[in-house]
Amino acid sequence: MKSLVHFLLVPDGSAARRLRRIIATKTPCMGVQIGTWLELIEQARSAYLVPKRSNDWSQVFQHALANVSDAFWSQSLEVAPQETAAEVEAALSLLIGATQPGDEDGITEADFDQLPERPRKHVEDLVRLLVELDGSLPEELEAIQQLMIAEPSNAIRKLVVCHVDDFPVLTRWQAVLIDKLNKDAN
């Protein structure tokens, strides 16, 4: 029989520490973990025996970033490459995270004509970057993708994820993964 872990998802490390302290002083309990989204990803990887891929995301991303010509980040990339890359990667992750997992192609086919000119250019540049990346995803999204296809029968323990709606606010990918983990635990 597989062990069951209840994972209480909180928005940040300080909330995790506060909640751990409250629970530890009220009722010591086993099988309860409290943590952030990244800690949940690590717990899920461990439970489903999904190893971290040793990909060279940083190099692939930097190369793709430089190859997209005349993008909104082009001049900033020359002046502050690391900071610019971090901001563009965050924006790309938000764009992908707003889609249904597995439907990244839907972004490239979407019509952004209803957007005002400047935001439309930004989104279109991010879409060009996504095409340039040719299926490569940021590490967190790649981990979610791996976990989504992981077989429940391969898991060494079950994870039930508990969280308060909009605390933290979840992307579609995150919500879909939590649903999968909770269904697999039943």
Side-chain angles (χ1 to χ4, degrees):
M1 184 169 163
K2 296 178 185 178
S3 64
L4 180 66
V5 173
H6 286 83
F7 191 95
L8 307 180
L9 181 63
V10 294
D12 55 42
S14 63
R17 284 188 298 279
R18 281 192 309 272
L19 189 53
R20 284 184 195 116
R21 185 174 45 248
I22 290 169
I23 289 177
T25 58
K26 300 287 182 194
T27 300
C29 49
M30 298 213 15
V32 175
Q33 293 183 346
I34 302 160
T36 62
W37 176 254
L38 293 178
E39 292 167 323
L40 173 61
I41 290 287
E42 289 308 310
Q43 286 298 317
R45 276 187 170 165
S46 171
Y48 283 78
L49 304 174
V50 173
K52 274 189 175 181
R53 287 191 184 162
S54 61
N55 67 7
D56 50 350
W57 165 253
S58 181
Q59 291 175 336
V60 169
F61 184 70
Q62 290 289 342
H63 184 263
L65 204 58
N67 279 353
V68 177
S69 61
D70 196 32
F72 71 87
W73 61 78
S74 296
Q75 291 179 345
S76 298
L77 191 61
E78 294 173 12
V79 178
Q82 291 178 329
E83 295 84 353
T84 303
E87 290 300 318
V88 173
E89 182 179 354
L92 180 67
S93 293
L94 284 173
L95 179 65
I96 296 169
T99 66
Q100 196 63 27
D103 189 28
E104 297 80 49
D105 292 337
I107 298 172
T108 59
E109 298 166 4
D111 180 18
F112 302 109
D113 289 340
Q114 299 298 321
L115 292 174
E117 181 180 348
R118 186 171 181 197
R120 183 180 65 242
K121 168 129 174 58
H122 286 194
V123 172
E124 288 172 346
D125 288 348
L126 289 171
V127 169
R128 290 190 305 140
L129 176 61
L130 186 60
V131 169
E132 183 70 28
L133 286 166
D134 192 32
S136 293
L137 292 172
E139 290 178 31
E140 178 188 335
L141 297 177
E142 183 178 354
I144 293 172
Q145 189 177 58
Q146 289 175 302
L147 289 164
M148 289 301 300
I149 61 172
E151 289 295 325
S153 59
N154 294 339
I156 57 173
R157 70 182 159 278
K158 297 177 180 183
L159 278 174
V160 174
V161 182
C162 306
H163 69 96
V164 176
D165 287 340
D166 295 331
F167 192 73
V169 175
L170 302 173
T171 67
R172 278 191 186 175
W173 281 50
Q174 292 169 335
V176 167
L177 178 60
I178 288 174
D179 288 344
K180 178 208 186 326
L181 295 173
N182 288 338
K183 285 177 186 169
D184 289 354
N186 288 330

